[in-house]
Amino acid sequence: MPRLLATVLSAVFHPLLVPLYLFYIVCYQLPGVAAHPALPARGLVLALVAGGTLGLPGLGTALLVWLGYADSVELRQRRQRTMPLLLAALSFGVTAALLYRPQEPDPLLFRMMAGMTLAVLLTLLITLRWKISAHGVGMGGAFGLLLLLHLSSTTETASLWWLAGCAVVAAAVSRARLVLDAHTPAQVWAGLALGLSVALGIGVVSSWFLG
């Protein structure tokens, strides 16, 4: 894989962008998967997710770079990732809280955001000692979520295409991180496994205890 393509893939599927892609797919590309909110209100949901998972964490990281805390927004050094991940975890958590609607019988969007928040928190804790791949966590979580939605979806053909596409993208992004020497294979595999485990774990807990 050429380094230019690896750079583009890493940017387009940055961990802060993946949540927005997933919410768009669930809200607009998989009919019937999300019962709430009604279709006209989903634009507001996407705006909230964009601000909470991309806007605020991205601005916070840029500010840290400007203050000299990090060399660049790529955060190639493990120790420079702690504060940006903490900011992201806080922002993700606030977004999840804003999406919480206890009166809704199927709070899928809240569960998605809560799972993403947990994934960021675990990534932060691991990063304190080891440089796990955040790209891997994002793509592993995306695949896990789409797998759960496919298994429970009434639109199996559409969900299968998205699942297959996610698998291809996850493989490509993982390869890109290795080509750019951003991570070792173990760090990429660990990220994929963490994201997948969190997504599947949230799905199992929701099924067993929340209905």
Side-chain angles (χ1 to χ4, degrees), residues 37-126:
L39 192 60
R42 295 185 184 183
L44 295 176
V45 171
L46 286 187
L48 175 62
V49 171
T53 66
L54 176 61
L56 292 179
L59 289 174
T61 300
L63 179 61
L64 290 173
V65 173
W66 183 69
L67 293 174
Y69 178 85
D71 296 334
S72 71
V73 293
E74 295 180 0
L75 303 172
R76 297 184 66 88
Q77 301 300 318
R78 177 184 62 83
R79 294 182 178 179
Q80 295 179 357
R81 297 186 171 202
T82 303
M83 189 60 68
L85 281 171
L86 178 59
L87 292 173
L90 292 172
S91 186
F92 276 49
V94 170
T95 304
L98 293 174
L99 288 175
Y100 181 59
R101 295 291 185 272
Q103 71 275 12
E104 293 181 358
D106 181 24
L108 173 61
L109 302 185
F110 164 70
R111 293 176 186 177
M112 287 172 56
M113 199 66 245
M116 293 172 186
T117 302
L118 177 59
V120 175
L121 282 172
L122 292 175
T123 303
L124 167 61
L125 293 176
I126 294 172

Side-chain angles (χ1 to χ4, degrees), residues 104-163:
E104 293 181 358
D106 181 24
L108 173 61
L109 302 185
F110 164 70
R111 293 176 186 177
M112 287 172 56
M113 199 66 245
M116 293 172 186
T117 302
L118 177 59
V120 175
L121 282 172
L122 292 175
T123 303
L124 167 61
L125 293 176
I126 294 172
T127 301
L128 294 176
R129 301 299 299 271
W130 192 59
K131 188 186 175 186
I132 191 172
S133 171
H135 279 79
V137 174
M139 295 311 306
F143 182 81
L145 171 64
L146 292 175
L147 176 61
L148 289 173
L149 294 178
H150 172 66
L151 294 176
S152 61
S153 175
T154 57
T155 56
E156 293 184 358
T157 301
S159 60
L160 180 60
W161 278 110
W162 282 108
L163 180 63

